[in-house]
Amino acid sequence: MVKESFCKEDTFSIGVELGKLAKNGEVYCIYGDLGVGKTIISQGFAHGIGISEVVNSPTFTIVKEYDSGRLPFYHFDVYRIGDPDEMDEIGFTDMVYGEGVCLIEWANLIEEILPVHHTRIEIKKNLDKGVDYREIIIEEV
């Protein structure tokens, strides 16, 4: 499925749609360059799950857990991971194969340890369509 976003609010809304459909045990992996809107779609996703607190990208903590929504939410930002083996130290396997839903920003950095089945969300810019335009490709893997 391909969605188009013409502004941050559109990107947020696409995240909300995905969050409303999310189920326990699912993993969502976000791909895209710096500044394309990975955190904005993550914030919308959290909102769709029912999380009312502020959701920021956990760049330095790698993962942040939220329990205030309709299901546990694990928000990863693995931008600073040097080696996928580092994910063991934060309980990655327990979270990914647990009862909550996981959303992973910069998933391309840990592809070799991702679950076989996950939802891939790729965000791309297209400056020919405008500075704020994003093409968001969502597919089951």
Side-chain angles (χ1 to χ4, degrees), residues 6 15 36 63 67 81 89 113:
F6 295 92
V36 295
V63 65
D67 293 320
I81 290 293
E89 297 170 20
I113 63 169

Side-chain angles (χ1 to χ4, degrees), residues 8 11-12 15 29-46 55-59 73 75-79 103-109 121-125 134 136:
K8 289 179 181 180
T11 302
F12 184 88
C29 299
I30 305 179
Y31 297 78
D33 294 333
L34 196 62
V36 295
K38 291 182 294 297
T39 299
I40 293 169
I41 205 164
S42 298
Q43 291 167 335
F45 189 93
V55 173
N56 292 316
S57 193
T59 303
F73 175 50
H75 180 203
F76 293 87
D77 181 335
V78 299
Y79 182 74
L103 188 138
I104 306 167
E105 295 184 37
W106 295 100
N108 55 297
L109 299 175
I121 303 167
E122 186 172 2
I123 307 172
K124 297 178 178 182
K125 289 182 183 182
R134 302 293 186 266
I136 302 171

Side-chain angles (χ1 to χ4, degrees), residues 53-136:
E53 59 194 284
V54 175
V55 173
N56 292 316
S57 193
T59 303
F60 294 100
T61 58
I62 312 301
V63 65
K64 185 153 185 205
E65 300 177 41
Y66 300 90
D67 293 320
S68 61
R70 64 180 173 80
L71 50 99
F73 175 50
Y74 305 104
H75 180 203
F76 293 87
D77 181 335
V78 299
Y79 182 74
R80 299 205 180 278
I81 290 293
D83 185 313
D85 290 338
E86 293 174 41
M87 298 300 286
D88 288 337
E89 297 170 20
I90 60 169
F92 178 75
T93 303
D94 292 338
M95 292 178 215
V96 167
Y97 296 103
E99 293 299 314
V101 62
C102 296
L103 188 138
I104 306 167
E105 295 184 37
W106 295 100
N108 55 297
L109 299 175
I110 60 166
E111 279 191 325
E112 57 266 32
I113 63 169
L114 293 175
V116 174
H117 300 288
H118 60 271
T119 300
R120 179 184 172 96
I121 303 167
E122 186 172 2
I123 307 172
K124 297 178 178 182
K125 289 182 183 182
N126 183 341
L127 296 177
D128 292 339
K129 292 188 175 186
V131 122
D132 293 324
Y133 177 85
R134 302 293 186 266
E135 179 182 66
I136 302 171

